[in-house]
Amino acid sequence: MSDRPNPGRKLFPVEEANARLPLVQRIVEDVVAVSKDIVERRERLAQIKSGRRSATQDPYSEELAQIEDELEKERGRLYEFADELRELGVELKDGLVGLVDFPAQMDDRVVYLCWKLGEPEVLHWHELDAGFSGRQSLTAGSAVAEDDSAGSDGDV
């Protein structure tokens, strides 16, 4: 039996995790779109740079620097999305595929309820150290938040 690794961590019953999915899904859709855009643009930028010589009078160096600045701003947006999810109590695990975890209580231990973009609801869980490869099917009602005083009967 393990205690909560983070005593201030919000724990989600399955029902509450599913109730938050519409908002989480919108944020995760943005995360995936921005992540894929950044990866594609970085790959293109690397290809362009690999075929170039470094010259002080390069007419495109200013444009390349501007593109790099734009990519850095997009990366900042990703951090903002991750912070938004964190404020909701949700942990972003993979921005390219849209994978998030909701901390939950199951059988006197903390686990993760696992959801991936495209899934209709939270259908899986895994141990804290197991990751996506350790996902197991979730049976309804098996994950219940330890702190009932937070109230799972209120609106989210």
Side-chain angles (χ1 to χ4, degrees):
M1 240 183 343
S2 66
D3 287 16
R4 289 194 226 185
N6 179 352
R9 173 186 281 182
K10 171 155 184 50
L11 299 177
F12 290 86
V14 176
E15 298 79 18
E16 186 178 347
N18 282 320
R20 290 197 184 211
L21 269 186
L23 175 58
V24 169
Q25 180 175 342
R26 285 192 297 274
I27 297 168
V28 171
E29 286 170 347
D30 289 340
V31 167
V32 169
V34 172
S35 294
K36 287 181 179 180
D37 182 55
I38 288 173
V39 167
E40 290 169 5
R41 290 169 66 186
R42 283 198 188 277
E43 287 172 356
R44 283 192 304 241
L45 190 59
Q47 287 174 349
I48 291 169
K49 284 182 162 184
S50 70
R52 303 174 56 78
R53 294 185 206 150
S54 92
T56 55
Q57 299 298 333
D58 183 352
Y60 300 107
S61 61
E62 188 175 316
E63 186 176 350
L64 290 172
Q66 182 181 358
I67 292 169
E68 288 174 342
D69 287 344
E70 290 170 9
L71 283 171
E72 194 58 36
K73 287 178 187 170
E74 288 297 291
R75 200 168 137 231
R77 283 184 62 207
L78 281 179
Y79 286 123
E80 290 172 11
F81 291 137
D83 287 343
E84 244 182 292
L85 289 168
R86 205 172 2 266
E87 287 172 16
L88 293 171
V90 179
E91 299 179 24
L92 178 64
K93 297 299 180 170
D94 187 327
L96 284 171
V97 298
L99 184 65
V100 297
D101 285 339
F102 296 81
Q105 182 79 23
M106 183 184 290
D107 302 328
D108 296 327
R109 69 188 189 282
V110 177
V111 299
Y112 284 128
L113 300 177
C114 187
W115 178 80
K116 183 177 165 188
L117 187 63
E119 295 176 343
E121 60 185 291
V122 176
L123 299 170
H124 300 90
W125 71 277
H126 61 81
E127 300 290 345
L128 296 180
D129 60 353
F132 186 80
S133 62
R135 281 188 2 151
Q136 299 178 43
S137 181
L138 185 64
T139 56
S142 62
V144 180
E146 185 176 284
D147 183 9
D148 290 331
S149 66
S152 60
D153 57 344
D155 293 333
V156 262

